[in-house]
C-alpha cells in the first residue's frame, strides 16, 4: 500500500437518486452500474449512522467492536434530500451536508463521502497521528496500522512526522463556524483515508497538490459505515464519542503508577537489582517490565527457566513485598517449530492465519519463521485465552502486547489472510491488535476473575479502549518526540482512547540528563508513565544519569504518586462520563487561538501543565487562558490570565491550578507505592476577591477489583463557596460501601475566615514543594 498516495474523488462514481428519506428509512442509489442501498439511522443524543449495502461489493460490517449507539429514534436530523446527505444538530440547524450528487461515491470496493466545508471549519482528532499539530487543516492521511521502525527509514521518523503510525482511529472532530461541533467516525476495520481542506505547505508546492476544497473521508474496502455525532461543545462531543466506542474501564490503581522497562531486562538478577535500587533511593515504582530477553528463544508463553531458577511465582512473590509487579512482553507471532507445544497445539487446532495457498502464513519476526493466530475468529481468541490464563497464573502481574500491527518483518503481509483464508488481509489488519487484546483480556479474567486486568498494547483500533492501555509506540530520545508525547496523548483522548502515554526519555538513541529531566517533568501526570529504552542505548533508569537527574526524577515520580488520588478519580469519572484525562486548552477555554495550542495540557478540569519541551531551554511562553486567576504551583503566586514569558530552572516545570480547583492528593510526598484513597488531602485554590461556587465528587475503593461495581465504594461530595469575606468548605459522605473517607484540607493563602462544615477553621502555615520551589499553603483543622 502507498502511504503517500491517496484516492481521488475524480476516480469515483457518485450516487444519483431523487426523493427524500429520513432516519429509519432506506433508498436505492444508482451508483454507476450498481444499485446500492443507503440506510439511515438516528439515536438519542445527536448520534446518527449512515450505511451503504451491496452484497456483491462489500461483506456486512466486519468490525469486532459493537458500538454503544443507545436507543434508536425516528428523526429527520439525518436525511437524504435530492442528491445530498443532510445532517442537522439537535436544535434543527444544518451542521453538515454532502456535495450534491457528488457526496456518496464508490470505486470498486473503495467508498467515500464528500462533505461541503467552509474555510472557518477547524479539524481535530485522528488519534495517533504524528503531525506535530493540534489543528489538522490541509492534511491527507491513511489509517493503516504500521510497524513504524520496520516500515520507514529512520530519516523519516527520527525528527519528522511519520504517517501512518501504529494505531488507527478514523475519527474527525470538526469545529463549525457557529462554535458547535460534529464528529465523524468511519466504523470500518479496512484501511481508511481522509483529505482535509486547507493548505499544507510541506506537501503542496504546486497548486494542484493542494487538498480538495471538500472534506473527504473514505475506505479502501469494507462496508461503508459512517457515524455522525453533533454537539454544542467539544466536551459534549468527546464524552459522547468515547461512550460510543467504549470507555476505558477503571484500571487498577497500581497501573497508574510509575513503570520501569528496558529491552535487556531478563531474569531474577535484573528484577531484584531494580527492586533494590528503587528501594534504596526511595523512588516509588509499581511495575518492572520485561522485554524479549525473558523468553525461552523468543517462544511466547514460555520463559527461560535458567533466568528464574526458583520459578516466576517465587520471584513475583518476592517483588510483591515491595508492591511491584512483573510485566512481560507477549508478541502474537508463534515460533514455527514442531515440538514447541504452542505451535503444535495451534497447528492441530487450525488457529493460524492462512496464506493464499491455504497453508499457515509465515512471517519473519524475532523467533525467525513465525505463524500468527487469527484473532478475528472467536474460537481462536478462546484458544489464545487459555494460554493467557496460564501465563497470568504463573505469577506475571500484567502484560504488554507488542508487534500486533501485525508486524511480519520483511514478509509481505498481503499474503496473510483471515477467516480460514476467506478474507483479505486489509479487511482486518487494523483490528488485529484489538482481537489480541480481547483474547488476552479474556484469559486474564479467567485467571483472576475478581481482579481488573491491565494490558498495554502498541497497536489498536476502534474498541481498544475497552481492553488495553496504549503506549504511543517506539519513539526517539530527542525534542521532537518529547513535544509529540504531549500532543499525541491529547489527540488520543479526543479520539476515543484516554489511557495513553509515551516512552519516557525516548526508546531509541541515547538520552541525556537534561532531556530525561524535562521528559520526567512533562510526563509525571500523563495517564500512563513508563520509562523504556532499547538495547544498546545509554541506561536511563532514574539513578543512571547523575545525581541531579536522579533527584529531579525522584521528585516528579513521587509527585505523581502524591497526585494519584486525582488521576484515579479522573479515570473513575471517565468510566461514568467518557471525559478524557489529558485535554487541550480548547476543551475548557474559548480564548482566541486556544485551538492552536498543542504544547500545554489540562490534566482533568483543575490542573494545567506547560512543560519545557526543548531540553536545552530555560524559558518558554505560557498562555493562562480564561478570565480568572491561576495559582502557580512553581512559585506559589496567583497570576492573572494572559501571556507570560516564564523562566524555568532545571528542577522546575510550569504547572497551574484553575481558580476554584478542589484537587485530591495524598497528604505528603510518598517514598513508596502505597496509596490510601480513604484519606485524601484536598488542595483548594481560591484567590482573594473572587466569588464562586464549585463542587467535586471523590471516590474511594480497593483499587484492584470489581467490587466497587457492586457497592463496595465510598463517595464524598466536597463543595466550596467563596465570597470576598469568607470561604466555606463543606463535605458529605454520600456512599460508605468501602468505609469512611477521612479528608483533610489545604488551601492557598487568602485573607478572611475559612469554615469547615460551618465551623471556623484553624489555619496552620505549611511549606509544600510541587513543581518548583517550596511554597506557602495553609492546612485547616
Amino acid at each position: 500500500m502507498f502511504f503517500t498516495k491517496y484516492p481521488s474523488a475524480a476516480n469515483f462514481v457518485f450516487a444519483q437518486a431523487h426523493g427524500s428519506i429520513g432516519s429509519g428509512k432506506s433508498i436505492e442509489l444508482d451508483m454507476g452500474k450498481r444499485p446500492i442501498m443507503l440506510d439511515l439511522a438516528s439515536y438519542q443524543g445527536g448520534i446518527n449512522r449512515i450505511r451503504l449495502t451491496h452484497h456483491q461489493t462489500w461483506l456486512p460490517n466486519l468490525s469486532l467492536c459493537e458500538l454503544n449507539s443507545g436507543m434508536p429514534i425516528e428523526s429527520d436530523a439525518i436525511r437524504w434530500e435530492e442528491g445530498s446527505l443532510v445532517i442537522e444538530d439537535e436544535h434543527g440547524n444544518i451542521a453538515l451536508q454532502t456535495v450534491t450528487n457528488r457526496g456518496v461515491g464508490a470505486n470498486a470496493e473503495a467508498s467515500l463521502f464528500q462533505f461541503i466545508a467552509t474555510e472557518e471549519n477547524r479539524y481535530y482528532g485522528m488519534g495517533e497521528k504524528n503531525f506535530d499539530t493540534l489543528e489538522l487543516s490541509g492534511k491527507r492521511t491513511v489509517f493503516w496500522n504500521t510497524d513504524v521502525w520496520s516500515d520507514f527509514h529512520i530519516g523519516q521518523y527520527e525528527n519528522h512526522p511519520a504517517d501512518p503510525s501504529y494505531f488507527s482511529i478514523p475519527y474527525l472532530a470538526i469545529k463549525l463556524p457557529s462554535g458547535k461541533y460534529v464528529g465523524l467516525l468511519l466504523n470500518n476495520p479496512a484501511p481508511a483515508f481522509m483529505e482535509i481542506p486547507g493548505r499544507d505547505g510541506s506537501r503542496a508546492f504546486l497548486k494542484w497538490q493542494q487538498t480538495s476544497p471538500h472534506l473527504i473521508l473514505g475506505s479502501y474496502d469494507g462496508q461503508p459505515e459512517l457515524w455522525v455525532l453533533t454537539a454544542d461543545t467539544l466536551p459534549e462531543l468527546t464524552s459522547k464519542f468515547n461512550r460510543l466506542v467504549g470507555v476505558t474501564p477503571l484500571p487498577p490503581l497500581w497501573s497508574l503508577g510509575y513503570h520501569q522497562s528496558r529491552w535487556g531486562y531478563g531474569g531474577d538478577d535484573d528484577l531484584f537489582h531494580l527492586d533494590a535500587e528503587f528501594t534504596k533511593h526511595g523512588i516509588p515504582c509499581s511495575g518492572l517490565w520485561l522485554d524479549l530477553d525473558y523468553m525461552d528463544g523468543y517462544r511466547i508463553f514460555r520463559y527461560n527457566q535458567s533466568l528464574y531458577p526458583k520459578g516466576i511465582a517465587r520471584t513475583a512473590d518476592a517483588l510483591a513485598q515491595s508492591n511491584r509487579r512483573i510485566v512481560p512482553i507477549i508478541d502474537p507471532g508463534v515460533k514455527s517449530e514442531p515440538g514447541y507445544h504452542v505451535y503444535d497445539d495451534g497447528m492441530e487446532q487450525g488457529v493460524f492465519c492462512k496464506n493464499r495457498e491455504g497453508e499457515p502464513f509465515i512471517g519473519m519476526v524475532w523467533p525467525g519463521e513465525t505463524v500468527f493466530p487469527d484473532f478475528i475468529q472467536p474460537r481462536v481468541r478462546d484458544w489464545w485465552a487459555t494460554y493467557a490464563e496460564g501465563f497470568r497464573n504463573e505469577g506475571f502481574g500484567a502484560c504488554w502486547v507488542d508487534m500486533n500491527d501485525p508486524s511480519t518483518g520483511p514478509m509481505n503481509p498481503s499474503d496473510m489472510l483471515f477467516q480460514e483464508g476467506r478474507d483479505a488481509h486489509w479487511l482486518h489488519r487494523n483490528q488485529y491488535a484489538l482481537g489480541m487484546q480481547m483474547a488476552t483480556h479474556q484469559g486474564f479474567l479467567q485467571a483472576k476473575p475478581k481482579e481488573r486486568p491491565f494490558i498495554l498494547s502498541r497497536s489498536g483500533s476502534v474498541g481498544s479502549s475497552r481492553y488495553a492501555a496504549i503506549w504511543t509506540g517506539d519513539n526517539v530520545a530527542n525534542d521532537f518526540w518529547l513535544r509529540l508525547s504531549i500532543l499525541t496523548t491529547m489527540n488520543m483522548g479526543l479520539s476515543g482512547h484516554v489511557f495513553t502515554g509515551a516512552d519516557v526519555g525516548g526508546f531509541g538513541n541515547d538520552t541525556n540528563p537534561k532531556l530525561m529531566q524535562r521528559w520526567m517533568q512533562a510526563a509525571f501526570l500523563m495517564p500512563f508513565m513508563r520509562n523504556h529504552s532499547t538495547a544498546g542505548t545509554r541506561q536511563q533508569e532514574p539513578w543512571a544519569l547523575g545525581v541531579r537527574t536522579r533527584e529531579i526524577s525522584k521528585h516528579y515520580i513521587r509527585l505523581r504518586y502524591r497526585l494519584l488520588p486525582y488521576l484515579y478519580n479522573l479515570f473513575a469519572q471517565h468510566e461514568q462520563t467518557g471525559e478524557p484525562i489529558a485535554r487541550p486548552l480548547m476543551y475548557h477555554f474559548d480564548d482566541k487561538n486556544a485551538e492552536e495550542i498543542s504544547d500545554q495540557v489540562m490534566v482533568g478540569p483543575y490542573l494545567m501543565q506547560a512543560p519545557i519541551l526543548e531540553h536545552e531551554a530555560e524559558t518558554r511562553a505560557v498562555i493562562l487562558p480564561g478570565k480568572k486567576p491561576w495559582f502557580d504551583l512553581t512559585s506559589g503566586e496567583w497570576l492573572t490570565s494572559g501571556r507570560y514569558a516564564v523562566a524555568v530552572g532545571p528542577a522546575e516545570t510550569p504547572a497551574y491550578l484553575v481558580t476554584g480547583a478542589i484537587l485530591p492528593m495524598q497528604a505528603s510526598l510518598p517514598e513508596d507505592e502505597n496509596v490510601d484513597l480513604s484519606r485524601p488531602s484536598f488542595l483548594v485554590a481560591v484567590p482573594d476577591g473572587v466569588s464562586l461556587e464549585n463542587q467535586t465528587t471523590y471516590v474511594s475503593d480497593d483499587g484492584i477489583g470489581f467490587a466497587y461495581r457492586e457497592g463496595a465504594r465510598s463517595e464524598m461530595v466536597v463543595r466550596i463557596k467563596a465570597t470576598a469575606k469568607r470561604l466555606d468548605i463543606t463535605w458529605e459522605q454520600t456512599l460508605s460501601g468501602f468505609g469512611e473517607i477521612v479528608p483533610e484540607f489545604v488551601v492557598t493563602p487568602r485573607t478572611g475566615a475559612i469554615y469547615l462544615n460551618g465551623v471556623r477553621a484553624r489555619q496552620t502555615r505549611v511549606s509544600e514543594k510541587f513543581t518548583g520551589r517550596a511554597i506557602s499553603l495553609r492546612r485547616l483543622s
Side-chain angles (χ1 to χ4, degrees):
M1 169 176 282
F2 287 108
F3 294 153
T4 55
K5 306 293 182 184
Y6 308 91
S8 168
N11 292 313
F12 283 69
V13 295
F14 289 92
Q16 309 293 317
H18 297 291
S20 299
I21 63 166
S23 173
K25 306 295 183 181
S26 301
I27 190 171
E28 185 176 286
L29 304 179
D30 179 11
M31 195 177 293
K33 301 177 181 179
R34 292 163 295 185
I36 289 179
M37 296 304 299
L38 169 68
D39 300 305
L40 304 179
S42 292
Y43 302 86
Q44 288 180 345
I47 298 175
N48 306 280
R49 189 199 68 208
I50 303 164
R51 179 182 287 169
L52 302 181
T53 303
H54 187 263
H55 296 301
Q56 293 178 329
T57 304
W58 304 299
L59 295 170
N61 193 291
L62 297 173
S63 176
L64 297 177
C65 172
E66 183 175 350
L67 301 186
N68 302 316
S69 55
M71 294 296 295
I73 59 173
E74 289 190 14
S75 170
D76 288 331
I78 181 168
R79 59 186 184 272
W80 176 268
E81 193 172 87
E82 298 297 337
S84 179
L85 282 168
V86 179
I87 297 101
E88 292 182 349
D89 63 23
E90 291 186 88
H91 309 290
N93 303 308
I94 294 178
L96 213 60
Q97 65 184 95
T98 57
V99 180
T100 302
N101 292 326
R102 293 188 62 82
V104 180
N107 177 3
E109 295 83 11
S111 60
L112 67 73
F113 298 91
Q114 189 167 218
F115 290 94
I116 298 171
T118 71
E119 292 184 0
E120 292 78 21
N121 284 1
R122 294 293 178 266
Y123 304 90
Y124 306 92
M126 290 193 188
E128 192 185 271
K129 291 293 182 181
N130 298 330
F131 290 137
D132 197 23
T133 178
L134 186 65
E135 204 279 319
L136 301 168
S137 292
K139 304 300 183 186
R140 293 186 181 97
T141 190
V142 170
F143 295 86
W144 171 270
N145 285 1
T146 305
D147 180 355
V148 173
W149 278 32
S150 176
D151 296 336
F152 293 97
H153 185 272
I154 188 172
Q156 295 174 275
Y157 63 76
E158 185 175 25
N159 288 287
H160 303 281
D163 182 47
S165 192
Y166 302 94
F167 192 102
S168 291
I169 304 180
Y171 169 73
L172 194 66
I174 309 169
K175 184 179 182 181
L176 304 173
S178 65
K180 300 184 186 303
Y181 284 83
V182 174
L184 300 174
L185 169 69
L186 286 164
N187 184 36
N188 183 350
F193 56 91
M194 292 186 186
E195 183 169 342
I196 315 300
R199 297 185 178 183
D200 180 1
S202 67
R203 302 189 189 194
F205 57 91
L206 295 173
K207 184 176 181 179
W208 49 264
Q209 290 182 317
Q210 294 173 4
T211 53
S212 167
H214 305 306
L215 170 63
I216 297 174
L217 304 89
S219 301
Y220 286 86
D221 205 336
Q223 183 178 29
E225 184 175 291
L226 179 67
W227 289 76
V228 184
L229 293 71
T230 60
D232 290 344
T233 66
L234 182 58
E236 180 191 347
L237 177 70
T238 305
S239 295
K240 190 179 297 186
F241 178 68
N242 284 341
R243 292 195 302 269
L244 177 70
V245 299
V247 298
T248 295
L250 183 62
L253 178 59
W254 72 268
S255 70
L256 303 182
Y258 172 79
H259 302 271
Q260 186 65 48
S261 181
R262 180 175 172 84
W263 181 6
Y265 298 159
D268 276 354
D269 291 345
D270 292 320
L271 292 172
F272 289 133
H273 171 72
L274 289 166
D275 180 57
E277 289 294 308
F278 278 109
T279 301
K280 179 177 75 173
H281 295 296
I283 302 174
C285 177
S286 295
L288 302 177
W289 293 54
L290 300 173
D291 211 312
L292 301 160
D293 305 82
Y294 84 96
M295 293 184 187
D296 176 17
Y298 303 114
R299 297 173 182 88
I300 60 170
F301 297 125
R302 213 160 89 179
Y303 64 87
N304 186 337
Q305 294 185 354
S306 68
L307 297 176
Y308 302 90
K310 296 182 179 180
I312 284 289
R314 185 72 65 88
T315 304
D317 288 344
L319 293 175
Q321 303 304 309
S322 303
N323 291 322
R324 302 195 226 283
R325 296 196 175 211
I326 308 172
V327 186
I329 194 172
I330 304 177
D331 289 347
V334 176
K335 185 176 177 65
S336 180
E337 178 185 64
Y340 166 37
H341 174 67
V342 178
Y343 173 79
D344 290 344
D345 184 39
M347 290 294 290
E348 182 178 343
Q349 300 297 326
V351 302
F352 300 124
C353 293
K354 299 287 197 297
N355 62 25
R356 298 175 192 273
E357 294 298 324
E359 298 297 324
F361 169 81
I362 301 292
M364 185 71 70
V365 203
W366 298 112
E369 290 193 349
T370 309
V371 291
F372 297 82
D374 183 357
F375 291 117
I376 308 307
Q377 299 186 57
R379 71 175 186 88
V380 178
R381 296 197 295 273
D382 291 341
W383 173 84
W384 178 274
T386 62
Y387 284 96
E389 177 184 1
F391 195 70
R392 177 71 177 87
N393 279 329
E394 284 187 284
F396 294 111
C399 74
W400 51 307
V401 290
D402 196 5
M403 307 291 285
N404 50 8
D405 321 293
S407 178
T408 58
M411 306 303 188
N412 185 352
S414 296
D415 293 329
M416 178 182 180
L417 309 180
F418 298 101
Q419 298 281 32
E420 308 294 346
R422 295 189 301 272
D423 288 2
H425 180 77
W426 51 83
L427 286 173
H428 297 285
R429 178 182 178 86
N430 285 347
Q431 65 178 354
Y432 185 80
L434 172 61
M436 185 184 188
Q437 295 155 12
M438 294 168 68
T440 309
H441 189 272
Q442 176 184 332
F444 277 21
L445 279 179
Q446 290 170 188
K448 306 287 183 182
K450 295 184 179 181
E451 186 172 326
R452 304 172 213 167
F454 175 58
I455 299 164
L456 181 75
S457 180
R458 183 168 81 177
S459 289
S461 61
V462 174
S464 288
S465 51
R466 307 176 187 187
Y467 304 100
I470 300 293
W471 95 97
T472 56
D474 296 338
N475 60 6
V476 180
N478 60 34
D479 290 344
F480 171 76
W481 285 97
L482 170 58
R483 183 171 67 252
L484 202 64
S485 69
I486 298 295
L487 174 60
T488 306
T489 301
M490 291 190 292
N491 266 341
M492 289 285 278
L494 294 179
S495 306
H497 209 295
V498 306
F499 199 1
T500 57
D503 283 342
V504 175
F507 175 71
N509 293 355
D510 287 336
T511 195
N512 63 70
K514 288 185 178 180
L515 180 62
M516 178 57 75
Q517 293 163 20
R518 293 309 188 193
W519 214 312
M520 282 283 185
Q521 293 163 357
F524 87 96
L525 277 181
M526 291 299 96
F528 176 69
M529 187 182 186
R530 180 183 71 161
N531 179 340
H532 183 46
S533 55
T534 188
T537 60
R538 186 177 187 176
Q539 296 290 137
Q540 59 184 53
E541 297 83 5
W543 53 83
L545 295 164
V547 173
R548 170 178 274 188
T549 303
R550 181 193 71 201
E551 292 305 299
I552 291 173
S553 298
K554 176 166 64 175
H555 176 75
Y556 284 96
I557 293 170
R558 286 179 173 179
L559 188 55
R560 179 180 182 85
Y561 279 85
R562 186 175 191 188
L563 291 171
L564 277 189
Y566 180 52
L567 278 178
Y568 187 77
N569 270 263
L570 290 177
F571 274 95
Q573 292 165 18
H574 165 78
E575 187 178 41
Q576 299 300 316
T577 68
E579 286 205 281
I581 314 301
R583 312 163 182 180
L585 266 61
M586 61 176 290
Y587 190 90
H588 291 287
F589 302 96
D590 59 3
D591 296 48
K592 183 180 180 180
N593 299 325
E595 58 200 25
E596 308 292 336
I597 298 172
S598 59
D599 60 354
Q600 297 178 214
V601 56
M602 292 295 300
V603 181
Y606 293 143
L607 197 153
M608 189 261 283
Q609 288 183 259
I612 297 290
L613 299 177
E614 297 176 359
H615 72 279
E616 293 285 358
E618 296 180 353
T619 62
R620 67 152 294 163
V622 173
I623 294 177
L624 300 181
K627 298 179 180 178
K628 295 180 180 179
W630 291 76
F631 185 73
D632 187 346
L633 287 170
T634 304
S635 68
E637 299 173 349
W638 282 100
L639 303 175
T640 59
S641 58
R643 295 175 177 267
Y644 292 84
V646 179
V648 183
E652 299 174 344
T653 183
Y656 308 87
L657 293 178
V658 300
T659 290
I662 309 171
L663 187 77
M665 59 185 184
Q666 296 197 76
S668 60
L669 283 175
E671 296 186 9
D672 58 29
E673 302 73 23
N674 293 310
V675 180
D676 187 352
L677 294 172
S678 67
R679 304 187 71 84
S681 176
F682 291 94
L683 173 53
V684 177
V686 181
D688 283 333
V690 173
S691 295
L692 61 82
E693 294 185 32
N694 191 25
Q695 72 176 51
T696 192
T697 299
Y698 177 83
V699 301
S700 170
D701 55 50
D702 67 5
I704 193 68
F706 296 103
Y708 75 95
R709 296 179 180 175
E710 306 300 326
R713 166 176 278 181
S714 294
E715 183 176 285
M716 173 176 285
V717 177
V718 179
R719 298 179 177 89
I720 62 173
K721 181 178 180 180
T723 65
K725 294 183 178 181
R726 63 185 281 172
L727 170 64
D728 280 277
I729 302 173
T730 60
W731 72 93
E732 176 187 9
Q733 184 153 345
T734 54
L735 294 174
S736 299
F738 193 65
E740 184 182 10
I741 299 175
V742 182
E744 74 166 29
F745 293 89
V746 179
V747 300
T748 55
R750 57 178 279 117
T751 59
I754 302 176
Y755 291 81
L756 291 177
N757 276 357
V759 178
R760 185 160 182 165
R762 179 185 175 190
Q763 301 183 38
T764 303
R765 180 175 176 176
V766 293
S767 180
E768 301 274 15
K769 186 178 180 182
F770 289 93
T771 60
R773 63 175 179 262
I775 63 176
S776 179
L777 299 173
R778 304 292 186 267
R779 179 169 287 117
L780 306 182
S781 59

